[in-house]
Amino acid sequence: MSTTPLRTVLVFSAEDQAWIRRTPITIPPFWDGHAVAPAKGDLVRVGGRQFLIRGRVWEHDAEGPVLKLYVGDAHAPSDTTFG
């Protein structure tokens, strides 16, 4: 049996999607080449912001299985200014 590469898609909130579009950030292919799927509770850092994986949904399309990772709102203590 041949194995297909793990395909993952990060799903961001509308506010975080807008931030990604406004900022010149490219979402890296975090799990390319990995045989183990990310788990709920894993953390991902993108553009200096931290995202918690809150949920996972396996789907299937014409190319095979896809793992959608729903991430929580960005947390960026280092990017935040209080005053």
Side-chain angles (χ1 to χ4, degrees):
M1 176 185 349
S2 67
T3 60
T4 57
L6 176 64
R7 293 189 306 139
T8 59
V9 175
L10 291 170
V11 180
F12 295 93
S13 68
E15 184 177 312
D16 289 329
Q17 285 178 12
W19 170 74
I20 290 168
R21 280 193 300 270
R22 288 189 313 265
T23 316
I25 292 176
T26 303
I27 306 299
F30 288 109
W31 290 276
D32 277 6
H34 291 270
V36 178
K40 184 178 170 185
D42 283 348
L43 292 171
V44 179
R45 282 189 70 75
V46 176
R49 294 189 178 193
Q50 182 171 293
F51 298 90
L52 175 70
I53 297 175
R54 300 184 60 99
R56 302 170 4 140
V57 175
W58 284 100
E59 294 185 351
H60 199 279
D61 62 14
E63 297 177 35
V66 177
L67 178 59
K68 286 192 174 182
L69 303 172
Y70 290 86
V71 297
D73 293 335
H75 297 282
S78 61
D79 296 339
T80 306
T81 303
F82 296 100

